[in-house]
Amino acid sequence: MDCPRWLPLESNPEFVNCLGMKPTWQFGDVYGLDPELLSMVPRPVCAVLLLFPVTEKYEAFKQEEEEKLKGQQQVSPDIYFIKQTIGNACGTIGLIHAVANNQSHLEFESDSPLKKFIEQTVKMTPEERATFLEKDESIRVTHESSAQEGQSEAPSLDEKVNLHFIAFVNVGGQLYELDGRKPFPVVHGKTSEDTFLEDAVEVCKIFMARDPQEVRFTIIALSKDSY
């Protein structure tokens, strides 16, 4: 059976507001990885999204990593992780990962579809959450309207998009990479609220070094609004 497909989503920050998250925290681009440019990102940062190209090198690495890490990691039971079963939904999955693992920081409107989805799925397995998302019309409709409002012309449903969103979060003082295409979260070691952005960026640099010919990388930080 074919998996359901959504329109590909650009890094459209309005999307999160449409899902009922109050703008006390905002997504913003990280314009460079050197200390001076990182210092311009408002703090604190509670999540980082990385948009990167899925290449043959990356797919080979992903397979090796999965075999190496299977059963070797201690993953906090507090981590909210959802599998991706919907084509082109990685932007929404990344957003759910960023928000669901930072609920103590974030504020929501009373009718927020995102908050409702997280509350309804909190006790489910990652696979059950994925099935539940397939049936969640309010998130799908918001995703697709945001995809059509992106900065460039949205590709069609069937067009193969080789860019992928993943999220980095700090749960219990550990830096986690959350990717719905992977079978489990990946632990990248210790972090703290103060060093989280720099620690996440160090992992992003490894993604970039793996494909040095590629330029299609975007890093987005979820920061407390400084205004």
Side-chain angles (χ1 to χ4, degrees), residues 24-26 42-46 105 107 222-227:
T24 46
W25 290 69
Q26 300 267 11
R43 307 295 174 112
V45 172
C46 71
H105 296 302
E107 297 173 64
L222 179 55
S223 303
K224 195 168 178 62
D225 190 15
S226 51
Y227 298 104

Side-chain angles (χ1 to χ4, degrees), residues 126-146:
E127 292 75 17
E128 287 167 345
R129 290 167 182 157
T131 304
F132 199 82
L133 182 62
E134 288 178 19
K135 299 178 173 68
D136 193 306
E137 280 298 295
S138 58
I139 291 183
R140 183 188 66 79
V141 168
T142 309
H143 171 107
E144 304 225 319
S145 63
S146 291

Side-chain angles (χ1 to χ4, degrees), residues 165-184:
F165 270 109
I166 60 174
F168 296 95
V169 296
N170 169 15
V171 173
Q174 294 285 333
L175 176 63
Y176 286 92
E177 172 194 331
L178 303 175
D179 177 350
R181 289 179 70 235
K182 292 186 176 179
F184 40 71

Side-chain angles (χ1 to χ4, degrees), residues 6-19:
W6 291 358
L7 284 172
L9 184 70
E10 289 195 15
S11 51
N12 181 356
E14 290 305 310
F15 176 49
V16 71
N17 298 339
C18 297
L19 285 173

Side-chain angles (χ1 to χ4, degrees), residues 205-219:
K205 285 178 182 174
I206 297 169
F207 277 75
M208 294 172 177
R210 204 177 290 127
D211 274 297
Q213 309 306 314
E214 273 289 352
V215 294
R216 295 175 298 163
F217 292 93
T218 302
I219 299 175

Side-chain angles (χ1 to χ4, degrees), residues 40-57:
M40 294 165 63
V41 178
R43 307 295 174 112
V45 172
C46 71
V48 167
L49 297 180
L50 172 66
L51 179 66
F52 66 96
V54 175
T55 62
E56 285 180 19
K57 275 186 193 170

